Amino acid sequence: MKYRPEIDGLRTIAVLPVLFYHFGMTTFSGGFTGVDIFFVISGFLITSIITAEIDKKTFTFANFYRRRALRILPPLALVVVATFIAAWMFMLPAEVEELGRTTIATSLFGSNIYFFKAYSYFSVLAESNPLLHTWSLAVEEQFYFVTPIILWLICFIKPLAKYRAHIIALGVIFSFGLSQWLLTKSSEAAFYLLPSRFWELGVGSLIALYGFDKSMPDKLKNYAGILGAGLLAYSIFMLDKDDVFPGLNAIYAVAGTALIILAGLQSWTGLVLSQKPFVFIGKISYSLYLWHWPLLIFYKIVFLKTHLSLTDSLLLTCLSIVIAYLSWKFWEQPFRKLRAVSSFQTLSVTTIGLIATVCISVSILSIEGRWRKFDPEIHALTELTINYSSTDENRYQFTPRGKDCFITTATAAGGKGYNVDACLSAQSNKQPLIFLGDSHSAHLTGPLQDALTDYEVLPLQASGCLPLWPLKGEARCTDLFQKALTDYIPELEKPVVVVSARWTAWGATPDASYETKLHNLIEKLNEAGASKVIILGPTLEYTTNLPLLMARSKLVGKTNMTAFINQDIYAFDEMMSALNKTDSHAASYISLVDALCERNNCDSDKPLLFDDNHLTLESAHKVAQIVSEQMQNIRTSEMTVPMNKS
């Protein structure tokens, strides 16, 4: 295949937004879609190479996989080794063990499957995993394994050969439909797994198979390139992490990339992208992608960073580019030029290397942190945050009526929905109290059930689902809350409805839109038949995992945990408290920001949270007792504290 410099330039447009997004440059709010650009490029290039060789009858699986191994594995191996050395020096025992498990999955080209299976809603090790970004490499590696076999089989069966493009097109259509469907069932599956991502790589394949880039009239190529650039700009600058993804929102990046590939070198976009600065970054883009994430993770660990300043971001960007260039020049390139090495030798060495990597990783898992002497409290803190979600305490705290009362992505993916009989059936003559919200409602459920002796607490909760109207989010969220308003609340006898949520998930300073949506929800609850609506304010949050932060601080000698409190909770509490001054709706607000500690004075020997925003059982009991006392005051007072639109 003839070298196309503009495609290296397009790789620059893929990798830099990913870096900027990960390094906290908020302008690049959709920078994560750079991965989707890579997918389309990979699909186009790999399919072009395979089909050209098949048509010339020079294709062999051994030679294809030899080239892939020399291209992919040496840089990856170097990054893994460097990551292990750094982890040995700076990471906590549990994090190193998790790195060992991830390395095994990466070596077997299945890290995307591992992350999908291993990282649940309350997973805490994902945010500090320096190999988390290898999920996209795994998707591409699986594509490289499957695609040559499919194309070879199609061409081997002669009657199908002339339909190979149509067959891949059917696969693309099926994969896109699967991606859309999975977004309503399991967004993690849609994000991580090849079947729901195949369509993105497949679009690149279709360009190669149909020869669109060769058949498009020259006069249209300039317009195609400009439109493609516009779609990429929209994807990179207008999308953000709160948008449903991939699915329909991935079309901007996929279509934009496809159009720029179709436009070719002689188009306006092609001429720009083929300039030396773009081509340079594009050539080192693989190494740059590999190095940037571990550098970010260890930078945060060593300097106890939870948010990056612009200086931090620029420093990390420059450091990533320098290391990537050195890696590309002195490591990646020499391996790619080993043309004299046979396929047998390459694949043999690759196999031995992979086996060795797995063995080393298994050994690390067996050591269990004994390579260094750690304070027992460090072990206790890491064990708390890692294992808490699987303890009996957690089950009592979150799901005292059963796990089907708190719908997470995992339960939804398993086909389990909300169990009305178990969760909303009265088991006493007490007044029913529907406890509505997300995980910040769930983490108070057990303790609140104990504290509110005059009520029967009926949980109606879904993780990651902000209860504001109009409803927004995954179907498991919107369907559940919609049914609460139309079916569940009206069927109960004048229930009290208490709403609790991670209000800071709104993602910005509370504004008029937020206030309106909160009022809309209150109106809907009152119309549905609630005898009273009570809104619980935000609880204590940190900008990073608190137990891990406390463990790291013991290693580096820093003890001021108050500095890491998420200040957004105070802004939301102030706005929501101000709404109590109006008096038209029967809804009361209970402030909880000072329930566990005073503002700017929150140092404690024990972690108050088991991650960055969920209360431990002990903390939840304290907060529940305050809620109980405040509700008693509201109940006995002749004057309610209402909320209304201002």
Side-chain angles (χ1 to χ4, degrees):
M1 179 180 176
K2 184 180 178 181
Y3 173 63
R4 293 180 55 174
E6 84 280 7
I7 289 183
D8 269 333
L10 189 54
R11 286 191 173 110
T12 299
I13 305 302
V15 73
L16 288 183
V18 172
L19 264 68
F20 297 154
Y21 172 76
H22 286 156
F23 293 165
M25 298 185 186
T26 55
T27 302
F28 296 83
S29 59
F32 55 87
T33 60
V35 170
D36 305 86
I37 300 173
F38 274 127
F39 284 163
V40 180
I41 295 172
S42 295
F44 171 71
L45 293 176
I46 291 302
T47 305
S48 297
I49 292 169
I50 294 171
T51 53
E53 292 184 354
I54 288 177
D55 292 344
K56 293 177 183 177
K57 302 188 184 307
T58 59
F59 175 80
T60 65
F61 287 102
N63 190 45
F64 173 79
Y65 291 123
R66 179 187 74 86
R67 294 197 304 264
R68 289 298 91 203
L70 290 175
R71 168 79 170 98
I72 294 171
L73 296 181
L76 178 60
L78 180 63
V79 170
V80 168
V81 170
T83 297
F84 262 123
I85 294 171
W88 213 264
M89 297 169 61
F90 300 115
M91 298 188 89
L92 300 169
E95 292 173 321
V96 177
E97 292 171 25
E98 176 61 14
L99 180 60
R101 286 187 285 269
T102 303
T103 301
I104 293 173
T106 301
S107 301
L108 299 175
F109 313 122
S111 60
N112 60 328
I113 299 172
Y114 174 75
F115 297 139
F116 165 63
K117 291 286 188 181
Y119 289 170
S120 66
Y121 180 72
F122 292 110
S123 294
V124 298
L125 294 177
E127 63 188 37
S128 62
N129 190 330
L131 295 182
L132 181 64
H133 64 322
T134 62
W135 74 268
S136 64
L137 301 183
V139 170
E140 290 199 20
E141 287 158 355
Q142 291 156 20
F143 178 81
Y144 298 156
F145 179 77
V146 170
T147 304
I149 297 174
I150 293 174
L151 291 173
W152 183 85
L153 284 174
I154 292 172
C155 293
F156 181 78
I157 303 171
K158 301 252 184 241
L160 295 180
K162 63 181 178 180
Y163 299 113
R164 64 186 179 186
H166 301 334
I167 293 171
I168 298 300
L170 290 175
V172 168
I173 294 169
F174 174 80
S175 173
F176 179 74
L178 178 66
S179 177
Q180 279 295 107
W181 179 77
L182 279 176
L183 284 172
T184 66
K185 302 297 180 182
S186 172
S187 57
E188 285 87 353
F191 185 85
Y192 281 120
L193 301 183
L194 175 62
S196 54
R197 290 286 194 163
F198 176 85
W199 70 274
E200 301 182 37
L201 293 119
V203 166
S205 296
L206 292 180
I207 299 172
L209 291 170
Y210 282 115
F212 291 141
D213 57 322
K214 300 179 181 66
S215 60
M216 177 180 284
D218 290 341
K219 65 173 64 175
L220 291 180
K221 289 187 175 182
N222 283 330
Y223 299 113
I226 292 171
L227 177 58
L231 289 172
L232 291 186
Y234 181 87
S235 178
I236 292 166
F237 297 112
M238 301 306 294
L239 296 180
D240 61 42
K241 62 183 178 61
D242 295 323
D243 288 307
V244 177
F245 199 86
L248 289 171
N249 280 320
I251 289 177
Y252 303 110
V254 171
T257 306
L259 287 169
I260 289 176
I261 292 173
L262 288 171
L265 177 60
Q266 300 306 317
S267 67
W268 294 329
T269 51
L271 292 173
V272 171
L273 292 174
S274 60
Q275 298 303 304
K276 287 184 178 180
F278 286 101
V279 173
F280 168 72
I281 296 296
K283 284 181 178 295
I284 67 170
S285 60
Y286 178 51
S287 288
L288 186 55
Y289 181 80
L290 284 176
W291 282 105
H292 89 280
W293 184 255
L295 286 172
L296 171 63
I297 294 301
F298 288 110
Y299 187 83
K300 286 184 171 182
I301 287 174
V302 172
F303 297 105
L304 287 183
K305 294 278 186 176
T306 58
H307 291 295
L308 300 178
S309 66
L310 180 59
T311 301
D312 293 326
S313 301
L314 294 176
L315 175 62
L316 281 167
T317 300
C318 294
L319 187 61
S320 298
I321 291 174
V322 170
I323 293 177
Y325 172 73
L326 295 174
S327 174
W328 172 79
K329 180 72 173 178
F330 298 107
W331 185 259
E332 181 180 343
Q333 284 296 96
F335 276 97
R336 294 185 68 180
K337 294 176 181 177
L338 290 177
R339 304 188 186 280
V341 179
S342 69
S343 299
F344 175 78
Q345 290 172 316
T346 302
L347 297 177
S348 297
V349 172
T350 298
T351 302
I352 293 170
L354 293 177
I355 293 173
T357 302
V358 171
C359 291
I360 293 170
S361 300
V362 171
S363 300
I364 288 171
L365 292 177
S366 66
I367 292 174
E368 295 181 341
R370 292 192 296 272
W371 71 91
R372 288 175 60 188
K373 185 177 181 180
F374 289 94
D375 187 322
E377 194 170 350
I378 290 177
H379 283 287
L381 287 166
T382 55
E383 287 299 313
L384 166 67
T385 192
I386 291 167
N387 298 325
Y388 189 80
S389 61
S390 60
T391 62
D392 291 336
E393 285 185 350
N394 178 271
R395 283 187 283 273
Y396 155 74
Q397 180 181 348
F398 280 79
T399 55
R401 280 182 170 246
K403 61 183 179 181
D404 294 340
C405 300
F406 175 44
I407 305 303
T408 65
T409 52
T411 55
K416 294 183 178 180
Y418 186 75
N419 190 329
V420 178
D421 292 336
C423 308
L424 292 182
S425 296
Q427 300 172 359
S428 68
N429 293 324
K430 298 178 181 178
Q431 183 176 4
L433 182 150
I434 290 184
F435 199 16
L436 177 72
D438 58 15
S439 60
H440 279 222
S441 171
H443 71 178
L444 289 171
T445 304
L448 207 60
Q449 182 175 272
D450 292 341
L452 298 177
T453 55
D454 293 336
Y455 297 93
E456 182 166 7
V457 177
L458 307 174
L460 207 158
Q461 300 150 345
S463 65
C465 302
L466 198 58
L468 296 171
W469 192 273
L471 300 170
K472 181 182 178 182
E474 296 181 30
R476 64 182 177 85
C477 305
T478 55
D479 291 352
L480 180 63
F481 291 162
Q482 180 67 53
K483 287 182 179 178
L485 295 169
T486 58
D487 299 341
Y488 304 152
I489 294 175
E491 291 178 2
L492 295 171
E493 183 66 28
K494 294 184 178 180
V496 172
V497 177
V498 176
V499 183
S500 181
R502 189 181 185 186
W503 302 112
T504 56
W506 173 255
T509 303
D511 54 15
S513 174
Y514 173 86
E515 181 180 344
T516 299
K517 291 179 185 232
L518 183 58
H519 279 301
N520 290 343
L521 176 72
I522 293 167
E523 289 178 2
K524 291 289 183 181
L525 292 172
N526 283 319
E527 291 170 2
S531 62
K532 184 175 291 297
V533 176
I534 297 174
I535 307 294
L536 303 186
T539 52
L540 184 65
E541 293 182 29
Y542 282 77
T543 55
T544 190
N545 183 290
L546 179 60
L548 292 185
L549 178 64
M550 294 175 71
R552 290 195 213 288
S553 70
K554 291 183 178 298
L555 289 177
V556 300
K558 293 183 180 180
T559 58
N560 182 17
M561 297 298 100
T562 300
F564 296 92
I565 291 176
N566 182 2
Q567 297 298 313
D568 289 345
I569 62 173
Y570 301 114
F572 277 85
D573 179 67
E574 183 177 352
M575 187 281 290
M576 298 170 81
S577 295
L579 297 175
N580 274 340
K581 298 175 182 178
T582 54
D583 60 359
S584 122
H585 283 81
S588 300
Y589 176 74
I590 297 177
S591 174
L592 297 174
V593 289
D594 296 324
L596 296 175
C597 55
E598 296 178 2
R599 185 184 301 203
N600 298 325
N601 184 22
C602 217
D603 288 334
S604 172
D605 293 334
K606 292 183 179 181
L608 302 174
L609 314 177
F610 67 81
D611 56 15
D612 63 331
N613 67 93
H614 294 99
L615 305 174
T616 62
L617 180 59
E618 182 178 350
S619 297
H621 274 300
K622 292 179 180 178
V623 172
Q625 190 57 45
I626 291 174
V627 172
S628 175
E629 293 170 0
Q630 292 296 319
M631 286 183 61
Q632 185 63 32
N633 293 338
I634 293 170
R635 188 179 184 187
T636 56
S637 174
E638 293 182 1
M639 181 181 295
T640 61
V641 185
M643 302 170 76
N644 184 36
K645 289 184 182 180
S646 55

